[in-house]
Amino acid sequence: MKYFLRWMDKRSVTLFLFLLKFIPTKKIKKEEASVLILCDLLLGDLAISGFFFIKLREIYPNRKIILLCKKNLASPAKVFNFDAIVEADYLSWRVLNKLRNLSPDGYGEVFNIFSPKWLLLLNGLSYGNLTSHSSSKESFRQIATSKVKLPSQPMQASEIIMALLGKDAFNSFSYNTQLNIPYSSFKFTRPYIIIHIGTSKPARLWPLNLFKQVLTLSMKKNVQILITGLRQESDYENKINEIIHENNQYIKIINLMGKTTIQDLLSLVSRAKGLISVDTSIVHWARVFQTPNFSFLGQSDLNLFGGQFKFYKKSDSMGVQNLECHDKKTFHGMQLNWMSMCGYDQCPLAERHCFTKLDDQKIKLRLNSFLSSL
């Protein structure tokens, strides 16, 4: 019954909004009108959008800014101090009515961050301007008032999203904001760095020899070391624990794998002296928090997700470019010819070239340089 009611809810509001498409929407131009952000993305994408959120507040310090995002991201989204967050996993009357009630006079600006499925909502709202990246979809071409082209040359993901605010947004950006850092049940009095195991996808997991190398180098730093990340298959986790046990001569290492909530993890990362990780969402959160970070990109494209963005503080990345097995060229479903990455959950090759082709000596030099800067 629950799923039937959900189906009816979604279908009825979809039909209603579709019919409204043929009735001209009231356009508003009130300078004080609220701002709506459609951002139906994943945890890492939310962090990548963080610099956009910060800049948007600089541009509109006195306007109400409202975010629509997935239900499970509403809690981490509070970091950015939105005036309201609408939690939504599917189109419903509740979502439409909540958006109407939050801003009865409509929305002066709407920004769509790679979330086209929510554009239908705008048929039922009054709004002034819709800004979105270019798309071939007919529905987008009809309603978008400001279209931002996807880059034809390599560009960092945060920069692509920031482009929604225009070219001047890059030149005038300043990190003058107070983030709402979540509370954590873990308290550490000693300075610490984090080595993050990360991900639920085997193709993105640390190779064990690389983890051992990184842990050994990190042990030379006179700080506590926290190991964080999701629970893994027992065989992999047992081997990680063996490496930790071999190196834990001075009780410097605390293993928190599978023991932290998202709120715990964000809090710990925001207060860390540094973070070392494979490419996963927590790296992007470290960049938002201005926590020094070092990442091994593995499957990901260095141009898109590397640490070279000018607003990052002490961010470095290593990755192998131009691998034949990196044949995915889409960013949120939109084609980018300059990009090259892998979308496999499980590597189909005998060995993962994106890690095995990293030079051990360069790893040592780059990582020692990073650790010495902390």
Side-chain angles (χ1 to χ4, degrees), residues 185-307:
S185 56
F186 294 94
K187 302 294 180 186
F188 298 98
T189 56
R190 292 177 57 190
Y192 60 86
I193 60 174
I194 295 174
I195 301 176
H196 188 70
I197 301 299
T199 180
S200 57
K201 297 181 179 180
R204 286 188 179 273
L205 279 177
W206 286 82
L208 293 169
N209 61 333
L210 178 58
F211 174 77
K212 185 173 183 177
Q213 183 182 8
V214 168
L215 186 59
T216 302
L217 291 171
S218 300
M219 287 290 291
K220 297 175 183 177
K221 190 79 177 171
N222 187 29
V223 292
Q224 192 96 59
I225 297 173
L226 309 184
I227 309 296
T228 60
L230 301 175
R231 296 299 303 266
Q232 304 296 332
E233 291 185 3
S234 57
D235 182 55
Y236 181 86
E237 198 166 305
N238 289 339
K239 288 175 181 176
I240 289 289
N241 286 327
E242 286 176 14
I243 295 170
I244 292 172
H245 181 72
E246 289 170 7
N247 285 272
N248 205 8
Q249 302 170 11
Y250 307 104
I251 321 298
K252 290 177 61 175
I253 308 171
I254 298 177
N255 188 354
L256 297 178
M257 281 179 63
K259 298 176 182 178
T260 60
T261 63
I262 289 294
Q263 286 70 34
D264 287 330
L265 188 55
L266 295 186
S267 181
L268 289 172
V269 169
S270 71
R271 294 172 172 87
K273 285 184 68 67
L275 168 81
I276 306 171
S277 178
V278 288
D279 180 50
T280 189
S281 60
I282 204 60
V283 175
H284 306 297
W285 283 99
R287 291 167 178 172
V288 168
F289 294 140
Q290 303 287 281
T291 299
N293 55 89
F294 190 102
S295 55
F296 296 94
L297 292 191
Q299 292 180 308
S300 300
D301 187 276
L302 193 63
N303 293 312
L304 191 67
F305 296 115

Side-chain angles (χ1 to χ4, degrees), residues 12 30 99 101 107 135 137 139 209 242 255 314 371:
S12 60
K30 291 183 180 179
L99 287 173
N101 292 334
Y107 294 88
S135 171
K137 292 188 176 181
S139 59
N209 61 333
E242 286 176 14
N255 188 354
K314 289 185 181 178
L371 290 167

Side-chain angles (χ1 to χ4, degrees), residues 159 170-171 307-313:
E159 198 172 359
F170 301 106
N171 302 324
Q308 71 274 21
F309 192 36
K310 62 183 177 182
F311 301 138
Y312 296 157
K313 179 183 178 183

